Amino acid sequence: MELGHDLGQDLRYCLRWLARAPGFTAVVVITLALGIGANTAIFSLVNGVLLRPLPFPHPQQLVRVYSEFPTFPHGGLHKFWISGPEYLELRQNAHAFQSLDAWTTDDFNLSGSARPLRVHGARVTGGLLSGLGVQPALGRTLTASDDQPGAARTAVISWPLFQQAFAGNRGVVGQTTQLNGGQCTIVGVMPAGFNFPLGETEPVEMWTPLQLNPAKPGGWASHYLYLLGRLRPGVNLAQAQGEMRGLVAGWTPMGHSAHQHNFTTDNHPLSSYLLQDEVTGGVRPALELLLWAVGFVLLIACVNVASVLLARAEARQREISIRGALGARRSRLLRQFITEGLVLATAGAAAGVGLAAGALQWLKTAQASGIPRIGAIGLDGRVLSFALLLALGTGILFGLTPLAHVSGAKLFGRLKAAGTGSGGSPAAQRFRQALVVVEMALALVLLTGAGLMVRGFWNLQHVDLGFQPDGVTTMQVALPPSAPNNQVDLLTSRLSAGLQHLPGVNAAALALALPPNRPPNDNDTDIEGFVKRPGGPIENVEFYQIVSPSYFKTLQIPLLAGRLFDERDGTSSPPVVVVNQRMAETFWPNQSPLGHRVRPDSSMPWFTVVGEVADVKNKGVSEAAGTELYFAIGQTPAQYRQQLYILTRSARGTAPDGGAVNAVREMVHAADPALPLAHVDSLSHIVSRDTARPQLLLMLLLTFAGVALALAAVGIYGVMSYAVARRRREFGLRAAIGAQPASLLGMVMRQALVLAVIGAAVGIGVALAAGGIMRGLVYGVGTSDPATLALVALVLIVVALAACWAPAARAMRVDPVTALRDE
């Protein structure tokens, strides 16, 4: 009872004391809100993306399985697709898995809804959705009977597609619709929030049966399947990996040419990884970096508040000493100040949680398309508990600060000092200066990280893409796989002719795929006269591209040698190809590629190289271009032209050209009203999406570095302001005996400069030691870049000196008579 009364008394006293110092209270609460809010937001991101289990029963049993080609050039092919025969062999003989299912992503034309749609989907084996253990919201999932070759076509749709295409009509289950020109029955709707495969930039909206025929599974070299396995209870990943290694060793070696890759156990192993790690592995380094960054922000905030409270405690020395002299026990004083610290920390945490909620909403709605599982982040119980722990920890720490230099044996001395107004021992002043040095050092580390990200992102923005994206609008049209060749030829010819007469369009073209980041083909290709060299390339081309003659003009891709495609290159003309610079250097080093011949496979004729163009980014903006073969659209079989992108170039800009889009839509509708015009976008936006993740990381680091720099500036301002106030008598005496104002200004500024230089030096050492954290996250700049370190150190010192200018100016204006009279 007495304890409760004392706590209530402490709380009331604390609230009255804080109300009498609103400026001090606001500074502390805002500082803590910034530190705790940043940590809460990033911890929520880490919790939702990395720590929270996947939304499936027993997610630790789910495993991704890949094939590998480690002997391929440029480091080999890793986490590659699985072929149909390989999947069937594993499904039959790999006993470590309770289930093993396959899928491949695909796009479908859905024309049974209000308007034709292009739907991003997946073709899956019959047990995949049920094996994930998520019950549908309506109807059922796909079954093994749906997956039988020749079975009636069925589909399960996502909740967003259910709302968009079918207006949430629950009668959609059992409804027949048109999918890729054929009948398909919708048998189920997955619940809101369900997403598989996870981590994809574009979420899957529809799942249909794969219907892989065991009698005709395709070639062993035809890799196109993703695999998901569920381990049996008691089986771990290493055991499954060992079993697969043994199975591959028993497979009969298969191969093509000695110049191409051979399917042997040495150069074609299988690998497996936990699904959780696969979904989040790509973003883990960036999130770990952000955790370090916000940890530094919180440390700076804590140091700043500790410095403020220490100064405030010295101003309260008289109160502390009188209470001690009247018999207040040290434990009683300690409880009072811990109460004050907890009240401040709780207020800061409450404001910080509000800031975190706003930041998370911003992340979810606008900025984080490159982060997997972004929909799973939020302020759940774990995140709020984290914020509460931060508040308790910082509150107790602050509560101890005012008593850091209190000793009962020195009560009389402190009373005397407090009575004369001298306070502030040299030890206390050195302690505050040390806190400032720590703040400056931590701020410099964050500034270094932000500086490296700025330089890296600047380099990304100025990478030579090999083409000009501004002003280019992209669209996609696709015929069903069952469309006859004459229908494909008719659509291709109509589009090729119509695109030349679009109003306001400078150039237009057709293409199979878009730069700057597309899935690789990695096709074995016969190169005439090729001789395999030790350590040299194999007869394999990373990218095939099919284009109309105006493609290079539309994207402004430079011609380096020979000629481009033109109207001569049709079905009745000799087959020709254009190669990129990387392919020319790879297969015909130190010679012209013109006149050399290539062949995609033995069933096709030889194609003669007639031109060489500059490299175009095809693996991503930050990656070197891969080898690429360009085929003329008029010389390409119809089955490779069923899905084409349409590109139009008009006035420079970053938004799609609405006039061109409407004209193309009318053109497509005239050819086939059931065909949707899909994926309308600007090429500039497509390029920017490829750098979305580093851009987001840059924005967050810049924000945290700015907060850290501001807090450090406030910290050194507070220390120097306090020092000037405590040295008024000294400055007055110096002025009285003839010291010039400039010399007083210099004294204060030199002290600030010393603190800033020491802080910068310590920070540079920490930044160099921690440089490995950013390895792989910055493009084209080393993590110990001297120019960046020098620049951020200069910025830190300049900001510190600017923050100290006002206290130094006050020292210069001290009136000797007033200062001496006050003393």
Side-chain angles (χ1 to χ4, degrees):
M1 187 70 180
E2 182 180 352
L3 178 60
H5 177 268
D6 289 345
L7 289 175
Q9 189 179 51
D10 290 342
L11 182 60
R12 289 191 296 273
Y13 177 81
C14 168
L15 294 176
R16 288 196 303 270
W17 174 70
L18 294 177
R20 288 198 300 267
F24 162 81
T25 303
V27 168
V28 172
V29 170
I30 292 173
T31 300
L32 289 176
L34 291 172
I36 294 177
N39 275 268
T40 302
I42 298 303
F43 179 77
S44 177
L45 189 60
V46 171
N47 176 56
V49 175
L50 299 183
L51 302 182
R52 181 178 292 174
L54 297 179
F56 311 121
H58 309 292
Q60 71 281 0
Q61 295 177 340
L62 295 175
V63 172
R64 288 287 299 268
V65 180
Y66 300 94
S67 66
E68 307 269 351
F69 292 92
T71 59
F72 261 52
H74 315 302
L77 297 178
H78 303 282
K79 297 186 178 180
F80 204 63
W81 295 288
I82 298 285
S83 69
E86 290 169 337
Y87 163 62
L88 293 176
E89 285 278 345
L90 287 174
R91 189 177 67 177
Q92 180 177 351
N93 300 306
H95 302 297
F97 296 103
Q98 182 176 318
S99 63
L100 189 64
D101 288 283
W103 81 92
T104 181
T105 54
D106 202 354
D107 286 349
F108 307 111
N109 289 342
L110 179 66
S111 52
S113 56
R115 63 183 177 86
L117 295 175
R118 186 69 172 163
V119 176
H120 184 56
R123 294 187 290 122
V124 305
T125 51
L128 191 143
L129 292 179
S130 59
L132 290 172
V134 178
Q135 296 300 314
L138 298 173
R140 63 175 177 86
T141 59
L142 301 176
T143 64
S145 60
D146 296 310
D147 198 31
Q148 294 299 313
R153 195 70 179 273
T154 55
V156 172
I157 62 175
S158 70
W159 189 265
L161 184 63
F162 169 61
Q163 298 291 333
Q164 176 192 2
F166 301 97
N169 181 6
R170 301 176 72 87
V172 70
V173 175
Q175 178 178 325
T176 299
T177 186
Q178 292 291 311
L179 193 66
N180 280 347
Q183 287 193 340
C184 177
T185 302
I186 297 174
V187 298
V189 179
M190 297 306 290
F194 176 82
N195 183 24
F196 188 88
L198 297 171
E200 300 289 327
T201 303
E202 186 178 4
V204 167
E205 301 171 287
M206 174 179 285
W207 299 266
T208 66
L210 180 63
Q211 296 187 349
L212 179 66
N213 189 347
K216 297 179 180 179
W220 286 78
S222 180
H223 294 81
Y224 68 100
L225 293 175
Y226 299 98
L227 260 60
L228 178 72
R230 181 177 285 277
L231 296 173
R232 293 186 183 279
V235 177
N236 59 38
L237 190 64
Q239 291 170 323
Q241 184 68 46
E243 183 186 42
M244 287 194 300
R245 192 180 301 114
L247 290 174
V248 173
W251 290 353
T252 303
M254 297 151 291
H256 304 327
S257 162
H259 298 155
Q260 298 167 348
H261 63 272
N262 291 313
F263 288 73
T264 67
T265 55
D266 293 332
N267 63 15
H268 184 42
L270 300 181
S271 58
S272 56
Y273 304 87
L274 292 177
L275 179 61
Q276 176 103 22
D277 294 339
E278 287 302 277
V279 172
T280 61
V283 76
R284 183 180 292 273
L287 293 184
E288 289 176 348
L289 174 64
L290 290 176
L291 272 180
W292 280 99
V294 294
F296 280 10
V297 170
L298 182 60
L299 279 175
I300 294 171
C302 290
V303 168
N304 216 346
V305 173
S307 180
V308 171
L309 287 176
L310 186 59
R312 185 75 177 174
E314 290 188 359
R316 298 172 66 188
Q317 276 195 26
R318 183 176 181 83
E319 171 201 340
I320 296 172
S321 302
I322 291 175
R323 293 178 67 181
L326 293 175
R329 296 189 303 275
R330 186 179 178 87
S331 60
R332 185 70 177 80
L333 295 174
L334 179 63
R335 192 174 65 212
Q336 173 65 55
F337 291 123
I338 287 180
T339 300
E340 294 170 2
L342 288 174
V343 169
L344 288 169
T346 301
V353 168
L355 290 175
L360 292 177
Q361 188 61 32
W362 170 74
L363 279 173
K364 293 172 73 171
T365 57
Q367 299 294 330
S369 60
I371 297 180
R373 307 186 69 197
I374 191 64
I377 66 174
L379 298 178
D380 60 10
R382 180 185 291 179
V383 174
L384 294 176
S385 298
F386 174 80
L388 179 61
L389 286 175
L390 286 181
L392 291 175
T394 52
I396 293 173
L397 174 65
F398 301 150
L400 298 175
T401 302
L403 298 179
H405 299 287
V406 173
S407 169
K410 299 180 179 179
L411 281 175
F412 178 75
R414 283 197 315 280
L415 277 168
K416 182 178 179 181
T420 63
S422 61
S425 68
Q429 182 67 5
R430 286 193 297 270
F431 182 66
R432 284 193 299 273
Q433 292 173 352
L435 291 179
V436 168
V437 168
V438 171
E439 278 188 281
M440 303 285 282
L442 294 175
L444 185 132
V445 175
L446 278 179
L447 282 172
T448 300
L452 291 173
M453 284 301 302
V454 167
R455 291 201 59 188
F457 192 73
W458 172 270
N459 292 338
L460 278 178
Q461 296 300 103
H462 291 81
V463 165
D464 182 10
L465 299 172
F467 64 94
Q468 295 297 328
D470 291 349
V472 176
T473 299
T474 67
M475 300 152 268
Q476 188 192 53
V477 62
L479 285 166
S482 59
N485 290 347
N486 61 344
Q487 186 180 359
V488 177
D489 291 336
L490 180 61
L491 179 63
T492 303
S493 61
R494 283 188 175 182
L495 289 175
S496 297
L499 291 177
Q500 308 309 314
H501 306 290
L502 291 177
V505 172
N506 301 329
L510 300 172
L512 177 65
L514 296 178
N517 198 346
R518 41 181 289 214
N521 302 110
D522 291 308
N523 288 334
D524 289 335
T525 306
D526 293 327
I527 310 291
E528 188 177 43
F530 178 82
V531 177
K532 181 74 171 67
R533 304 187 308 272
I538 61 175
E539 289 182 285
N540 188 279
V541 177
E542 293 171 88
F543 295 94
Y544 278 9
Q545 175 70 299
I546 299 171
V547 298
S548 62
S550 54
Y551 175 80
F552 302 100
K553 175 185 176 182
T554 304
L555 290 191
Q556 300 181 3
I557 300 172
L559 175 67
L560 303 181
R563 71 172 179 88
L564 301 174
F565 299 132
D566 55 36
E567 287 70 17
R568 295 173 293 174
D569 303 315
T571 54
S572 59
S573 306
V576 296
V577 291
V578 172
V579 301
N580 71 339
Q581 187 176 6
R582 179 66 177 272
M583 181 160 179
E585 293 172 349
T586 299
F587 293 105
W588 304 287
N590 304 318
Q591 57 180 304
S592 171
L594 303 181
H596 289 276
R597 299 199 304 170
V598 299
R599 186 172 60 178
D601 61 63
S602 58
S603 66
M604 300 185 70
W606 289 93
F607 290 71
T608 302
V609 178
V610 296
E612 178 187 354
V613 295
D615 288 337
V616 168
K617 291 289 186 179
N618 43 31
K619 292 182 177 181
V621 174
S622 62
E623 301 294 331
T627 54
E628 188 160 16
L629 266 178
Y630 294 91
F631 296 90
I633 197 168
Q635 297 182 335
T636 307
Q639 63 264 33
Y640 300 115
R641 292 184 274 112
Q642 290 173 326
Q643 177 175 302
L644 292 172
Y645 281 95
I646 303 165
L647 302 92
T648 64
R649 174 174 289 280
S650 50
R652 293 176 65 87
T654 58
D657 184 342
V661 172
N662 290 332
V664 172
R665 181 174 283 114
E666 292 177 3
M667 196 185 309
V668 172
H669 183 79
D672 187 342
L675 288 183
L677 188 66
H679 302 300
V680 177
D681 206 345
S682 69
L683 194 54
S684 296
H685 183 241
I686 293 173
V687 171
S688 68
R689 281 206 311 261
D690 196 58
T691 59
R693 188 175 295 176
Q695 182 178 15
L696 175 63
L697 183 59
L698 169 64
M699 294 173 65
L700 291 175
L701 276 182
L702 278 176
T703 300
F704 298 150
V707 170
L709 186 61
L711 291 176
V714 170
I716 194 169
Y717 168 85
V719 166
M720 298 311 300
S721 182
Y722 184 79
V724 168
R726 290 318 226 173
R727 296 173 65 186
R728 287 190 64 198
R729 184 171 183 273
E730 174 192 344
F731 290 144
L733 288 173
R734 288 179 180 272
I737 61 177
Q740 296 298 313
S743 66
L744 298 179
L745 178 72
M747 286 177 59
V748 179
M749 296 301 288
R750 278 194 299 273
Q751 184 180 358
L753 179 62
V754 169
L755 293 177
V757 169
I758 294 175
V762 174
I764 288 175
V766 175
L768 290 174
I773 298 175
M774 296 199 67
R775 191 167 292 117
L777 296 175
V778 291
Y779 176 77
V781 59
T783 55
S784 57
D785 180 58
T788 302
L789 290 171
L791 180 61
V792 298
L794 179 61
V795 168
L796 187 70
I797 291 172
V798 169
V799 169
L801 292 179
C804 295
W805 181 262
R810 284 200 300 271
M812 185 175 61
R813 295 192 299 268
V814 169
D815 181 6
V817 176
T818 303
L820 293 175
R821 183 185 301 120
D822 290 343
E823 294 297 330

